[in-house]
Amino acid sequence: QRVTQPEKLLSVFKGAPVELKCNYSYSGSPELFWYVQYSRQRLQLLLRHISRESIKGFTADLNKGETSFHLKKPFAQEEDSAMYYCALSDGYGNKLVFGAGTILRVKS
Amino acid sequence: EPEVTQTPSHQVTQMGQEVILRCVPISNHLYFYWYRQILGQKVEFLVSFYNNEISEKSEIFDDQFSVERPDGSNFTLKIRSTKLEDSAMYFCASSIRGYTFGSGTRLTVV
């Protein structure tokens, strides 16, 4: 199991679209998550692929063919600036495997 | 909304000393975890705990680490003889369907 977030830092202007990339390697049917961490605080769940909901304007679609779970937002806001982690679980109760994280910086 | 509580928020300890990090998971959760995050690095899995025993552990979780659920509510991580490289943020998490993380304990070994 591996989760890859290729960008360490993504810097965008306020109002611009955002896409944080996440690719995974796992042979079965994983559960994918996005977590957000503001200023080294606790990890907060942003999205999980099975719920298919939008939180704070963010969405993510699981693409099994491309093994990707990219996080998107059409219009970035300054308060979106944080560290974003993509994570994978291979089953109920099993551990989460995290990607290296991407720092999103939204400039005014 | 229920939270996972961790104490202390920051602990400084001398190299070679034992430390115990404490966590109170969400009461109806069944699975418990410890993760660590060394400054500037990614979040790493240490150990998972279910039904009063370790269900999985990583290579990091060697003999100097142990976990316990002594009283049915607290979930502790003990590091027997701390090393400088144990300095990190340690996160506890619990799960029933999704994973909820605590705010972490910053451990500094000097």
Side-chain angles (χ1 to χ4, degrees), chain A residues 33 35 37 40 42-43 48 85 89 92-96 98-100, chain B residues 4 31 33 35 37 39 42-43 45 56 91 96-97 99 101-103 106:
Chain A
F33 302 82
Y35 279 86
Q37 188 180 35
R40 304 200 65 76
R42 75 177 68 213
L43 293 154
R48 51 194 303 192
Y85 291 98
S89 169
Y92 178 67
N94 291 346
K95 68 179 184 290
L96 284 172
F98 285 87
Chain B
V4 173
Y31 298 87
Y33 314 83
Y35 292 82
Q37 185 178 31
L39 188 63
K42 70 176 179 180
V43 179
F45 168 75
E56 187 176 356
F91 291 105
I96 188 163
R97 293 200 179 281
Y99 303 82
F101 284 81
S103 54
R106 181 170 299 285

PDB file of all heavy atoms in Angstrom, chain A residues 33 35 37 40 42-43 48 85 89 92-96 98-100, chain B residues 4 31 33 35 37 39 42-43 45 56 91 96-97 99 101-103 106:
ATOM      1  N   PHE A  33      -9.301   8.786   1.910  1.00  0.00           N
ATOM      2  CA  PHE A  33      -9.660   9.916   2.750  1.00  0.00           C
ATOM      3  C   PHE A  33      -8.779  11.113   2.389  1.00  0.00           C
ATOM      4  O   PHE A  33      -7.650  10.968   1.931  1.00  0.00           O
ATOM      5  CB  PHE A  33      -9.388   9.611   4.236  1.00  0.00           C
ATOM      6  CG  PHE A  33     -10.099   8.406   4.778  1.00  0.00           C
ATOM      7  CD1 PHE A  33      -9.587   7.136   4.568  1.00  0.00           C
ATOM      8  CD2 PHE A  33     -11.257   8.548   5.517  1.00  0.00           C
ATOM      9  CE1 PHE A  33     -10.240   6.014   5.083  1.00  0.00           C
ATOM     10  CE2 PHE A  33     -11.906   7.434   6.037  1.00  0.00           C
ATOM     11  CZ  PHE A  33     -11.393   6.175   5.814  1.00  0.00           C
ATOM     12  N   TYR A  35      -7.439  14.374   4.742  1.00  0.00           N
ATOM     13  CA  TYR A  35      -7.382  15.022   6.042  1.00  0.00           C
ATOM     14  C   TYR A  35      -6.718  16.383   5.870  1.00  0.00           C
ATOM     15  O   TYR A  35      -5.839  16.566   5.018  1.00  0.00           O
ATOM     16  CB  TYR A  35      -6.569  14.197   7.042  1.00  0.00           C
ATOM     17  CG  TYR A  35      -7.349  13.060   7.651  1.00  0.00           C
ATOM     18  CD1 TYR A  35      -7.436  11.832   7.009  1.00  0.00           C
ATOM     19  CD2 TYR A  35      -8.024  13.228   8.857  1.00  0.00           C
ATOM     20  CE1 TYR A  35      -8.171  10.795   7.556  1.00  0.00           C
ATOM     21  CE2 TYR A  35      -8.759  12.187   9.416  1.00  0.00           C
ATOM     22  CZ  TYR A  35      -8.829  10.983   8.759  1.00  0.00           C
ATOM     23  OH  TYR A  35      -9.554   9.957   9.306  1.00  0.00           O
ATOM     24  N   GLN A  37      -4.798  19.610   8.078  1.00  0.00           N
ATOM     25  CA  GLN A  37      -4.104  19.956   9.329  1.00  0.00           C
ATOM     26  C   GLN A  37      -3.747  21.437   9.274  1.00  0.00           C
ATOM     27  O   GLN A  37      -2.923  21.850   8.452  1.00  0.00           O
ATOM     28  CB  GLN A  37      -2.854  19.096   9.493  1.00  0.00           C
ATOM     29  CG  GLN A  37      -2.169  19.229  10.838  1.00  0.00           C
ATOM     30  CD  GLN A  37      -0.938  18.338  10.930  1.00  0.00           C
ATOM     31  OE1 GLN A  37      -0.220  18.139   9.948  1.00  0.00           O
ATOM     32  NE2 GLN A  37      -0.685  17.792  12.111  1.00  0.00           N
ATOM     33  N   ARG A  40      -0.247  22.770  12.379  1.00  0.00           N
ATOM     34  CA  ARG A  40       0.220  21.678  13.237  1.00  0.00           C
ATOM     35  C   ARG A  40      -0.785  21.332  14.346  1.00  0.00           C
ATOM     36  O   ARG A  40      -0.402  20.908  15.423  1.00  0.00           O
ATOM     37  CB  ARG A  40       1.591  21.985  13.818  1.00  0.00           C
ATOM     38  CG  ARG A  40       2.626  22.291  12.746  1.00  0.00           C
ATOM     39  CD  ARG A  40       4.027  22.128  13.237  1.00  0.00           C
ATOM     40  NE  ARG A  40       4.334  20.744  13.588  1.00  0.00           N
ATOM     41  CZ  ARG A  40       4.572  19.783  12.723  1.00  0.00           C
ATOM     42  NH1 ARG A  40       4.520  20.017  11.427  1.00  0.00           N
ATOM     43  NH2 ARG A  40       4.845  18.559  13.127  1.00  0.00           N
ATOM     44  N   ARG A  42      -4.612  19.223  15.196  1.00  0.00           N
ATOM     45  CA  ARG A  42      -5.022  17.845  14.949  1.00  0.00           C
ATOM     46  C   ARG A  42      -5.396  17.648  13.494  1.00  0.00           C
ATOM     47  O   ARG A  42      -5.780  18.584  12.795  1.00  0.00           O
ATOM     48  CB  ARG A  42      -6.186  17.453  15.852  1.00  0.00           C
ATOM     49  CG  ARG A  42      -7.546  18.032  15.457  1.00  0.00           C
ATOM     50  CD  ARG A  42      -8.646  17.532  16.374  1.00  0.00           C
ATOM     51  NE  ARG A  42      -8.502  18.068  17.703  1.00  0.00           N
ATOM     52  CZ  ARG A  42      -8.855  17.402  18.799  1.00  0.00           C
ATOM     53  NH1 ARG A  42      -9.362  16.177  18.718  1.00  0.00           N
ATOM     54  NH2 ARG A  42      -8.726  17.944  19.990  1.00  0.00           N
ATOM     55  N   LEU A  43      -5.305  16.411  13.069  1.00  0.00           N
ATOM     56  CA  LEU A  43      -5.761  16.042  11.734  1.00  0.00           C
ATOM     57  C   LEU A  43      -7.289  16.000  11.740  1.00  0.00           C
ATOM     58  O   LEU A  43      -7.895  15.334  12.572  1.00  0.00           O
ATOM     59  CB  LEU A  43      -5.224  14.659  11.364  1.00  0.00           C
ATOM     60  CG  LEU A  43      -3.731  14.582  11.179  1.00  0.00           C
ATOM     61  CD1 LEU A  43      -3.219  13.185  11.442  1.00  0.00           C
ATOM     62  CD2 LEU A  43      -3.371  15.011   9.759  1.00  0.00           C
ATOM     63  N   ARG A  48     -14.250  11.590   2.762  1.00  0.00           N
ATOM     64  CA  ARG A  48     -13.984  10.176   2.540  1.00  0.00           C
ATOM     65  C   ARG A  48     -14.745   9.774   1.284  1.00  0.00           C
ATOM     66  O   ARG A  48     -15.853  10.266   1.052  1.00  0.00           O
ATOM     67  CB  ARG A  48     -14.399   9.323   3.721  1.00  0.00           C
ATOM     68  CG  ARG A  48     -15.796   9.558   4.210  1.00  0.00           C
ATOM     69  CD  ARG A  48     -16.066   8.955   5.549  1.00  0.00           C
ATOM     70  NE  ARG A  48     -15.811   7.524   5.598  1.00  0.00           N
ATOM     71  CZ  ARG A  48     -16.190   6.741   6.607  1.00  0.00           C
ATOM     72  NH1 ARG A  48     -16.813   7.251   7.638  1.00  0.00           N
ATOM     73  NH2 ARG A  48     -15.920   5.455   6.616  1.00  0.00           N
ATOM     74  N   TYR A  85      -3.494  15.988   3.674  1.00  0.00           N
ATOM     75  CA  TYR A  85      -2.994  14.622   3.575  1.00  0.00           C
ATOM     76  C   TYR A  85      -4.035  13.725   2.929  1.00  0.00           C
ATOM     77  O   TYR A  85      -5.199  13.717   3.341  1.00  0.00           O
ATOM     78  CB  TYR A  85      -2.677  14.047   4.957  1.00  0.00           C
ATOM     79  CG  TYR A  85      -1.496  14.653   5.649  1.00  0.00           C
ATOM     80  CD1 TYR A  85      -1.654  15.640   6.607  1.00  0.00           C
ATOM     81  CD2 TYR A  85      -0.206  14.231   5.341  1.00  0.00           C
ATOM     82  CE1 TYR A  85      -0.563  16.191   7.244  1.00  0.00           C
ATOM     83  CE2 TYR A  85       0.894  14.786   5.974  1.00  0.00           C
ATOM     84  CZ  TYR A  85       0.705  15.759   6.925  1.00  0.00           C
ATOM     85  OH  TYR A  85       1.794  16.310   7.553  1.00  0.00           O
ATOM     86  N   SER A  89      -7.092   3.338   3.611  1.00  0.00           N
ATOM     87  CA  SER A  89      -7.289   2.227   4.528  1.00  0.00           C
ATOM     88  C   SER A  89      -7.721   1.020   3.711  1.00  0.00           C
ATOM     89  O   SER A  89      -8.525   1.156   2.787  1.00  0.00           O
ATOM     90  CB  SER A  89      -8.367   2.566   5.553  1.00  0.00           C
ATOM     91  OG  SER A  89      -8.740   1.416   6.279  1.00  0.00           O
ATOM     92  N   TYR A  92     -12.027  -2.171   7.204  1.00  0.00           N
ATOM     93  CA  TYR A  92     -12.676  -1.681   8.419  1.00  0.00           C
ATOM     94  C   TYR A  92     -11.767  -1.896   9.623  1.00  0.00           C
ATOM     95  O   TYR A  92     -11.357  -3.013   9.912  1.00  0.00           O
ATOM     96  CB  TYR A  92     -13.995  -2.436   8.588  1.00  0.00           C
ATOM     97  CG  TYR A  92     -14.766  -2.073   9.815  1.00  0.00           C
ATOM     98  CD1 TYR A  92     -15.317  -0.812   9.968  1.00  0.00           C
ATOM     99  CD2 TYR A  92     -14.953  -3.004  10.832  1.00  0.00           C
ATOM    100  CE1 TYR A  92     -16.039  -0.486  11.100  1.00  0.00           C
ATOM    101  CE2 TYR A  92     -15.670  -2.687  11.964  1.00  0.00           C
ATOM    102  CZ  TYR A  92     -16.206  -1.429  12.085  1.00  0.00           C
ATOM    103  OH  TYR A  92     -16.919  -1.106  13.209  1.00  0.00           O
ATOM    104  N   GLY A  93     -11.458  -0.810  10.286  1.00  0.00           N
ATOM    105  CA  GLY A  93     -10.630  -0.889  11.482  1.00  0.00           C
ATOM    106  C   GLY A  93      -9.141  -0.935  11.222  1.00  0.00           C
ATOM    107  O   GLY A  93      -8.347  -0.838  12.156  1.00  0.00           O
ATOM    108  N   ASN A  94      -8.757  -1.085   9.963  1.00  0.00           N
ATOM    109  CA  ASN A  94      -7.328  -1.163   9.673  1.00  0.00           C
ATOM    110  C   ASN A  94      -6.674   0.211   9.688  1.00  0.00           C
ATOM    111  O   ASN A  94      -7.342   1.229   9.620  1.00  0.00           O
ATOM    112  CB  ASN A  94      -7.097  -1.843   8.327  1.00  0.00           C
ATOM    113  CG  ASN A  94      -7.464  -3.319   8.374  1.00  0.00           C
ATOM    114  OD1 ASN A  94      -7.643  -3.887   9.439  1.00  0.00           O
ATOM    115  ND2 ASN A  94      -7.582  -3.933   7.211  1.00  0.00           N
ATOM    116  N   LYS A  95      -5.353   0.194   9.720  1.00  0.00           N
ATOM    117  CA  LYS A  95      -4.618   1.445   9.832  1.00  0.00           C
ATOM    118  C   LYS A  95      -4.826   2.314   8.604  1.00  0.00           C
ATOM    119  O   LYS A  95      -5.229   1.851   7.533  1.00  0.00           O
ATOM    120  CB  LYS A  95      -3.117   1.146   9.972  1.00  0.00           C
ATOM    121  CG  LYS A  95      -2.484   0.561   8.717  1.00  0.00           C
ATOM    122  CD  LYS A  95      -1.005   0.321   8.931  1.00  0.00           C
ATOM    123  CE  LYS A  95      -0.344  -0.169   7.656  1.00  0.00           C
ATOM    124  NZ  LYS A  95      -0.742  -1.533   7.309  1.00  0.00           N
ATOM    125  N   LEU A  96      -4.517   3.601   8.789  1.00  0.00           N
ATOM    126  CA  LEU A  96      -4.445   4.534   7.673  1.00  0.00           C
ATOM    127  C   LEU A  96      -2.991   4.643   7.214  1.00  0.00           C
ATOM    128  O   LEU A  96      -2.083   4.726   8.035  1.00  0.00           O
ATOM    129  CB  LEU A  96      -4.919   5.924   8.102  1.00  0.00           C
ATOM    130  CG  LEU A  96      -6.420   6.130   8.258  1.00  0.00           C
ATOM    131  CD1 LEU A  96      -6.690   7.497   8.872  1.00  0.00           C
ATOM    132  CD2 LEU A  96      -7.132   5.998   6.930  1.00  0.00           C
ATOM    133  N   PHE A  98      -0.679   7.191   5.120  1.00  0.00           N
ATOM    134  CA  PHE A  98      -0.733   8.587   4.692  1.00  0.00           C
ATOM    135  C   PHE A  98       0.255   8.872   3.577  1.00  0.00           C
ATOM    136  O   PHE A  98       1.336   8.280   3.506  1.00  0.00           O
ATOM    137  CB  PHE A  98      -0.399   9.515   5.874  1.00  0.00           C
ATOM    138  CG  PHE A  98      -1.507   9.654   6.873  1.00  0.00           C
ATOM    139  CD1 PHE A  98      -1.641   8.746   7.916  1.00  0.00           C
ATOM    140  CD2 PHE A  98      -2.422  10.690   6.776  1.00  0.00           C
ATOM    141  CE1 PHE A  98      -2.661   8.877   8.843  1.00  0.00           C
ATOM    142  CE2 PHE A  98      -3.444  10.828   7.698  1.00  0.00           C
ATOM    143  CZ  PHE A  98      -3.564   9.919   8.734  1.00  0.00           C
ATOM    144  N   GLY A  99      -0.119   9.807   2.730  1.00  0.00           N
ATOM    145  CA  GLY A  99       0.839  10.397   1.807  1.00  0.00           C
ATOM    146  C   GLY A  99       1.699  11.414   2.542  1.00  0.00           C
ATOM    147  O   GLY A  99       1.493  11.680   3.737  1.00  0.00           O
ATOM    148  N   ALA A 100       2.652  11.966   1.831  1.00  0.00           N
ATOM    149  CA  ALA A 100       3.606  12.898   2.446  1.00  0.00           C
ATOM    150  C   ALA A 100       2.989  14.253   2.744  1.00  0.00           C
ATOM    151  O   ALA A 100       3.567  15.050   3.482  1.00  0.00           O
ATOM    152  CB  ALA A 100       4.820  13.057   1.540  1.00  0.00           C
TER     153      ALA A 100
ATOM    154  N   VAL B   4     -11.341  12.924  20.611  1.00  0.00           N
ATOM    155  CA  VAL B   4     -10.281  12.116  21.220  1.00  0.00           C
ATOM    156  C   VAL B   4      -9.391  13.094  21.981  1.00  0.00           C
ATOM    157  O   VAL B   4      -8.951  14.104  21.426  1.00  0.00           O
ATOM    158  CB  VAL B   4      -9.473  11.386  20.127  1.00  0.00           C
ATOM    159  CG1 VAL B   4      -8.264  10.680  20.744  1.00  0.00           C
ATOM    160  CG2 VAL B   4     -10.362  10.395  19.379  1.00  0.00           C
ATOM    161  N   TYR B  31     -11.671   0.577  17.758  1.00  0.00           N
ATOM    162  CA  TYR B  31     -10.290   0.444  17.298  1.00  0.00           C
ATOM    163  C   TYR B  31      -9.510   1.671  17.750  1.00  0.00           C
ATOM    164  O   TYR B  31     -10.012   2.794  17.678  1.00  0.00           O
ATOM    165  CB  TYR B  31     -10.232   0.349  15.764  1.00  0.00           C
ATOM    166  CG  TYR B  31     -10.948  -0.842  15.204  1.00  0.00           C
ATOM    167  CD1 TYR B  31     -12.310  -0.788  14.923  1.00  0.00           C
ATOM    168  CD2 TYR B  31     -10.265  -2.029  14.951  1.00  0.00           C
ATOM    169  CE1 TYR B  31     -12.978  -1.892  14.411  1.00  0.00           C
ATOM    170  CE2 TYR B  31     -10.929  -3.127  14.433  1.00  0.00           C
ATOM    171  CZ  TYR B  31     -12.276  -3.053  14.177  1.00  0.00           C
ATOM    172  OH  TYR B  31     -12.931  -4.137  13.666  1.00  0.00           O
ATOM    173  N   TYR B  33      -5.477   3.630  17.828  1.00  0.00           N
ATOM    174  CA  TYR B  33      -4.233   3.705  17.067  1.00  0.00           C
ATOM    175  C   TYR B  33      -3.308   4.756  17.686  1.00  0.00           C
ATOM    176  O   TYR B  33      -3.761   5.727  18.295  1.00  0.00           O
ATOM    177  CB  TYR B  33      -4.520   4.144  15.615  1.00  0.00           C
ATOM    178  CG  TYR B  33      -5.671   3.452  14.943  1.00  0.00           C
ATOM    179  CD1 TYR B  33      -6.969   3.890  15.143  1.00  0.00           C
ATOM    180  CD2 TYR B  33      -5.464   2.360  14.103  1.00  0.00           C
ATOM    181  CE1 TYR B  33      -8.039   3.268  14.529  1.00  0.00           C
ATOM    182  CE2 TYR B  33      -6.532   1.730  13.479  1.00  0.00           C
ATOM    183  CZ  TYR B  33      -7.811   2.187  13.712  1.00  0.00           C
ATOM    184  OH  TYR B  33      -8.876   1.555  13.094  1.00  0.00           O
ATOM    185  N   TYR B  35      -0.087   7.107  16.041  1.00  0.00           N
ATOM    186  CA  TYR B  35       0.696   7.544  14.891  1.00  0.00           C
ATOM    187  C   TYR B  35       1.710   8.553  15.415  1.00  0.00           C
ATOM    188  O   TYR B  35       1.518   9.162  16.473  1.00  0.00           O
ATOM    189  CB  TYR B  35      -0.190   8.249  13.858  1.00  0.00           C
ATOM    190  CG  TYR B  35      -1.194   7.361  13.162  1.00  0.00           C
ATOM    191  CD1 TYR B  35      -2.405   7.040  13.766  1.00  0.00           C
ATOM    192  CD2 TYR B  35      -0.933   6.843  11.896  1.00  0.00           C
ATOM    193  CE1 TYR B  35      -3.328   6.221  13.134  1.00  0.00           C
ATOM    194  CE2 TYR B  35      -1.854   6.034  11.254  1.00  0.00           C
ATOM    195  CZ  TYR B  35      -3.049   5.734  11.880  1.00  0.00           C
ATOM    196  OH  TYR B  35      -3.955   4.928  11.242  1.00  0.00           O
ATOM    197  N   GLN B  37       4.433  11.847  13.997  1.00  0.00           N
ATOM    198  CA  GLN B  37       4.829  12.748  12.914  1.00  0.00           C
ATOM    199  C   GLN B  37       6.085  13.474  13.361  1.00  0.00           C
ATOM    200  O   GLN B  37       6.021  14.377  14.206  1.00  0.00           O
ATOM    201  CB  GLN B  37       3.700  13.730  12.607  1.00  0.00           C
ATOM    202  CG  GLN B  37       3.955  14.622  11.420  1.00  0.00           C
ATOM    203  CD  GLN B  37       2.782  15.542  11.124  1.00  0.00           C
ATOM    204  OE1 GLN B  37       2.047  15.956  12.020  1.00  0.00           O
ATOM    205  NE2 GLN B  37       2.601  15.882   9.862  1.00  0.00           N
ATOM    206  N   LEU B  39       8.940  16.147  12.888  1.00  0.00           N
ATOM    207  CA  LEU B  39       8.834  17.495  12.320  1.00  0.00           C
ATOM    208  C   LEU B  39       9.234  17.513  10.847  1.00  0.00           C
ATOM    209  O   LEU B  39      10.323  17.065  10.484  1.00  0.00           O
ATOM    210  CB  LEU B  39       9.724  18.450  13.119  1.00  0.00           C
ATOM    211  CG  LEU B  39       9.592  19.934  12.780  1.00  0.00           C
ATOM    212  CD1 LEU B  39       8.186  20.430  13.084  1.00  0.00           C
ATOM    213  CD2 LEU B  39      10.638  20.757  13.530  1.00  0.00           C
ATOM    214  N   LYS B  42       6.043  12.970   7.183  1.00  0.00           N
ATOM    215  CA  LYS B  42       4.635  12.573   7.094  1.00  0.00           C
ATOM    216  C   LYS B  42       4.185  11.819   8.338  1.00  0.00           C
ATOM    217  O   LYS B  42       4.986  11.431   9.185  1.00  0.00           O
ATOM    218  CB  LYS B  42       4.399  11.739   5.850  1.00  0.00           C
ATOM    219  CG  LYS B  42       4.997  10.359   5.868  1.00  0.00           C
ATOM    220  CD  LYS B  42       4.575   9.635   4.604  1.00  0.00           C
ATOM    221  CE  LYS B  42       5.142   8.252   4.530  1.00  0.00           C
ATOM    222  NZ  LYS B  42       4.717   7.575   3.291  1.00  0.00           N
ATOM    223  N   VAL B  43       2.901  11.622   8.438  1.00  0.00           N
ATOM    224  CA  VAL B  43       2.305  10.897   9.545  1.00  0.00           C
ATOM    225  C   VAL B  43       2.559   9.397   9.345  1.00  0.00           C
ATOM    226  O   VAL B  43       2.257   8.850   8.288  1.00  0.00           O
ATOM    227  CB  VAL B  43       0.784  11.169   9.618  1.00  0.00           C
ATOM    228  CG1 VAL B  43       0.151  10.404  10.763  1.00  0.00           C
ATOM    229  CG2 VAL B  43       0.521  12.657   9.765  1.00  0.00           C
ATOM    230  N   PHE B  45       2.230   5.390  10.861  1.00  0.00           N
ATOM    231  CA  PHE B  45       1.505   4.464  11.721  1.00  0.00           C
ATOM    232  C   PHE B  45       2.465   3.772  12.678  1.00  0.00           C
ATOM    233  O   PHE B  45       3.548   3.347  12.282  1.00  0.00           O
ATOM    234  CB  PHE B  45       0.796   3.431  10.839  1.00  0.00           C
ATOM    235  CG  PHE B  45       0.250   2.246  11.572  1.00  0.00           C
ATOM    236  CD1 PHE B  45      -0.890   2.352  12.336  1.00  0.00           C
ATOM    237  CD2 PHE B  45       0.885   1.015  11.486  1.00  0.00           C
ATOM    238  CE1 PHE B  45      -1.402   1.252  13.006  1.00  0.00           C
ATOM    239  CE2 PHE B  45       0.388  -0.096  12.146  1.00  0.00           C
ATOM    240  CZ  PHE B  45      -0.764   0.025  12.903  1.00  0.00           C
ATOM    241  N   GLU B  56      -2.087  -4.753  14.858  1.00  0.00           N
ATOM    242  CA  GLU B  56      -1.028  -4.552  13.872  1.00  0.00           C
ATOM    243  C   GLU B  56      -0.017  -3.561  14.434  1.00  0.00           C
ATOM    244  O   GLU B  56      -0.393  -2.660  15.184  1.00  0.00           O
ATOM    245  CB  GLU B  56      -1.602  -4.014  12.555  1.00  0.00           C
ATOM    246  CG  GLU B  56      -0.582  -3.945  11.429  1.00  0.00           C
ATOM    247  CD  GLU B  56      -1.185  -3.491  10.099  1.00  0.00           C
ATOM    248  OE1 GLU B  56      -2.418  -3.298  10.008  1.00  0.00           O
ATOM    249  OE2 GLU B  56      -0.394  -3.354   9.142  1.00  0.00           O
ATOM    250  N   PHE B  91       0.151  11.195  17.714  1.00  0.00           N
ATOM    251  CA  PHE B  91      -1.300  11.315  17.613  1.00  0.00           C
ATOM    252  C   PHE B  91      -1.960   9.991  17.980  1.00  0.00           C
ATOM    253  O   PHE B  91      -1.558   8.933  17.505  1.00  0.00           O
ATOM    254  CB  PHE B  91      -1.720  11.661  16.179  1.00  0.00           C
ATOM    255  CG  PHE B  91      -1.347  13.043  15.737  1.00  0.00           C
ATOM    256  CD1 PHE B  91      -0.294  13.243  14.862  1.00  0.00           C
ATOM    257  CD2 PHE B  91      -2.067  14.148  16.177  1.00  0.00           C
ATOM    258  CE1 PHE B  91       0.055  14.521  14.442  1.00  0.00           C
ATOM    259  CE2 PHE B  91      -1.731  15.426  15.760  1.00  0.00           C
ATOM    260  CZ  PHE B  91      -0.659  15.607  14.894  1.00  0.00           C
ATOM    261  N   ILE B  96     -14.655   3.831  14.652  1.00  0.00           N
ATOM    262  CA  ILE B  96     -15.706   2.829  14.575  1.00  0.00           C
ATOM    263  C   ILE B  96     -16.113   2.653  13.121  1.00  0.00           C
ATOM    264  O   ILE B  96     -16.182   1.546  12.627  1.00  0.00           O
ATOM    265  CB  ILE B  96     -16.902   3.146  15.496  1.00  0.00           C
ATOM    266  CG1 ILE B  96     -17.869   1.963  15.526  1.00  0.00           C
ATOM    267  CG2 ILE B  96     -17.621   4.420  15.099  1.00  0.00           C
ATOM    268  CD1 ILE B  96     -18.839   2.002  16.667  1.00  0.00           C
ATOM    269  N   ARG B  97     -16.302   3.754  12.428  1.00  0.00           N
ATOM    270  CA  ARG B  97     -16.494   3.719  10.982  1.00  0.00           C
ATOM    271  C   ARG B  97     -15.510   4.656  10.299  1.00  0.00           C
ATOM    272  O   ARG B  97     -14.993   4.361   9.260  1.00  0.00           O
ATOM    273  CB  ARG B  97     -17.925   4.102  10.618  1.00  0.00           C
ATOM    274  CG  ARG B  97     -18.929   3.081  11.086  1.00  0.00           C
ATOM    275  CD  ARG B  97     -20.248   3.190  10.340  1.00  0.00           C
ATOM    276  NE  ARG B  97     -21.168   2.173  10.793  1.00  0.00           N
ATOM    277  CZ  ARG B  97     -21.112   0.901  10.395  1.00  0.00           C
ATOM    278  NH1 ARG B  97     -20.211   0.524   9.534  1.00  0.00           N
ATOM    279  NH2 ARG B  97     -21.958   0.016  10.865  1.00  0.00           N
ATOM    280  N   TYR B  99     -12.186   7.586  11.183  1.00  0.00           N
ATOM    281  CA  TYR B  99     -11.074   7.739  12.126  1.00  0.00           C
ATOM    282  C   TYR B  99     -11.111   9.156  12.697  1.00  0.00           C
ATOM    283  O   TYR B  99     -11.162  10.123  11.954  1.00  0.00           O
ATOM    284  CB  TYR B  99      -9.743   7.531  11.399  1.00  0.00           C
ATOM    285  CG  TYR B  99      -9.623   6.191  10.712  1.00  0.00           C
ATOM    286  CD1 TYR B  99     -10.186   5.988   9.462  1.00  0.00           C
ATOM    287  CD2 TYR B  99      -8.944   5.149  11.308  1.00  0.00           C
ATOM    288  CE1 TYR B  99     -10.083   4.764   8.825  1.00  0.00           C
ATOM    289  CE2 TYR B  99      -8.824   3.923  10.674  1.00  0.00           C
ATOM    290  CZ  TYR B  99      -9.395   3.735   9.436  1.00  0.00           C
ATOM    291  OH  TYR B  99      -9.284   2.528   8.809  1.00  0.00           O
ATOM    292  N   PHE B 101      -8.955  11.776  15.167  1.00  0.00           N
ATOM    293  CA  PHE B 101      -7.633  11.983  15.760  1.00  0.00           C
ATOM    294  C   PHE B 101      -7.690  12.936  16.932  1.00  0.00           C
ATOM    295  O   PHE B 101      -8.495  13.866  16.968  1.00  0.00           O
ATOM    296  CB  PHE B 101      -6.677  12.560  14.703  1.00  0.00           C
ATOM    297  CG  PHE B 101      -6.194  11.538  13.719  1.00  0.00           C
ATOM    298  CD1 PHE B 101      -6.988  11.166  12.640  1.00  0.00           C
ATOM    299  CD2 PHE B 101      -4.953  10.933  13.868  1.00  0.00           C
ATOM    300  CE1 PHE B 101      -6.558  10.207  11.730  1.00  0.00           C
ATOM    301  CE2 PHE B 101      -4.515   9.976  12.970  1.00  0.00           C
ATOM    302  CZ  PHE B 101      -5.315   9.608  11.896  1.00  0.00           C
ATOM    303  N   GLY B 102      -6.794  12.711  17.890  1.00  0.00           N
ATOM    304  CA  GLY B 102      -6.588  13.667  18.968  1.00  0.00           C
ATOM    305  C   GLY B 102      -5.712  14.819  18.505  1.00  0.00           C
ATOM    306  O   GLY B 102      -5.211  14.813  17.376  1.00  0.00           O
ATOM    307  N   SER B 103      -5.515  15.784  19.393  1.00  0.00           N
ATOM    308  CA  SER B 103      -4.746  16.977  19.038  1.00  0.00           C
ATOM    309  C   SER B 103      -3.246  16.758  19.168  1.00  0.00           C
ATOM    310  O   SER B 103      -2.470  17.627  18.806  1.00  0.00           O
ATOM    311  CB  SER B 103      -5.181  18.165  19.885  1.00  0.00           C
ATOM    312  OG  SER B 103      -5.096  17.830  21.244  1.00  0.00           O
ATOM    313  N   ARG B 106       3.251  16.656  21.779  1.00  0.00           N
ATOM    314  CA  ARG B 106       4.576  16.948  21.225  1.00  0.00           C
ATOM    315  C   ARG B 106       5.615  16.459  22.218  1.00  0.00           C
ATOM    316  O   ARG B 106       5.723  16.993  23.323  1.00  0.00           O
ATOM    317  CB  ARG B 106       4.738  18.441  20.953  1.00  0.00           C
ATOM    318  CG  ARG B 106       6.096  18.780  20.356  1.00  0.00           C
ATOM    319  CD  ARG B 106       6.153  20.221  19.874  1.00  0.00           C
ATOM    320  NE  ARG B 106       5.187  20.513  18.839  1.00  0.00           N
ATOM    321  CZ  ARG B 106       5.279  20.135  17.573  1.00  0.00           C
ATOM    322  NH1 ARG B 106       6.319  19.439  17.175  1.00  0.00           N
ATOM    323  NH2 ARG B 106       4.350  20.451  16.706  1.00  0.00           N
TER     324      ARG B 106
END
